[in-house]
Amino acid sequence: MEPLTPEQLALLKTMLERRVEALSSVEQPQQDASELPVDEVETSPLDRATVRLLNDLSREAADHHSAEMRQLRQALARFEDGTYGLCEECGQPIGASRLLARPEARLCIDCQTRAERR
């Protein structure tokens, strides 16, 4: 696979920066502050189950948001150290089509496929 051109690198960096900006503008649910009360007087078991489910979904969304931000920032850091676009496992170029689809990708298709099979 051919290394990325400077134009492709610039486009991918812009894509990553825009995603970070978009995620930063979205209010991240606060795990502790978003807890809905479970022990209100005279609530039904179904109401308590619903509240627990909503709290779990809120925590999961916050975890997903944090993980995505971490991946994006790590990808931007790879631009700084010159390793962006190289597979972290085999060291080969990842490929423009994969990076255009997933700019935060750390592994080439072959290494990602092997990792998913494990």
Side-chain angles (χ1 to χ4, degrees):
M1 237 169 263
E2 306 237 346
L4 297 167
T5 66
E7 293 81 17
Q8 289 171 323
L9 283 170
L11 172 65
L12 290 163
K13 187 173 185 180
T14 300
M15 289 171 65
L16 288 166
E17 290 168 342
R18 285 185 181 159
R19 284 182 57 195
V20 166
E21 186 178 309
L23 279 176
S24 296
S25 68
V26 173
E27 257 188 62
Q28 180 180 359
Q30 299 297 318
Q31 290 183 1
D32 296 330
S34 68
E35 294 292 321
L36 299 172
V38 179
D39 53 10
E40 290 183 15
V41 179
E42 297 186 38
T43 58
S44 74
L46 288 177
D47 288 340
R48 287 191 301 273
T50 300
V51 168
R52 280 193 298 278
L53 175 63
L54 291 173
N55 287 336
D56 290 345
L57 290 172
S58 178
R59 275 191 295 280
E60 187 176 326
D63 291 346
H64 178 74
H65 184 275
S66 295
E68 188 171 358
M69 284 294 283
R70 187 173 43 257
Q71 289 174 344
L72 294 171
R73 287 186 177 126
Q74 288 171 348
L76 287 169
R78 289 193 300 275
F79 270 98
E80 300 305 316
D81 67 18
T83 61
Y84 183 81
L86 299 177
C87 178
E88 290 182 3
E89 191 145 325
C90 69
Q92 297 298 311
I94 292 177
S97 59
R98 174 157 169 74
L99 289 172
L100 286 169
R102 296 197 49 95
E104 72 280 5
R106 298 172 27 241
L107 303 174
C108 67
I109 288 286
D110 292 337
C111 291
Q112 182 68 42
T113 302
R114 278 193 297 276
E116 288 174 1
R117 287 185 185 155
R118 288 184 227 147

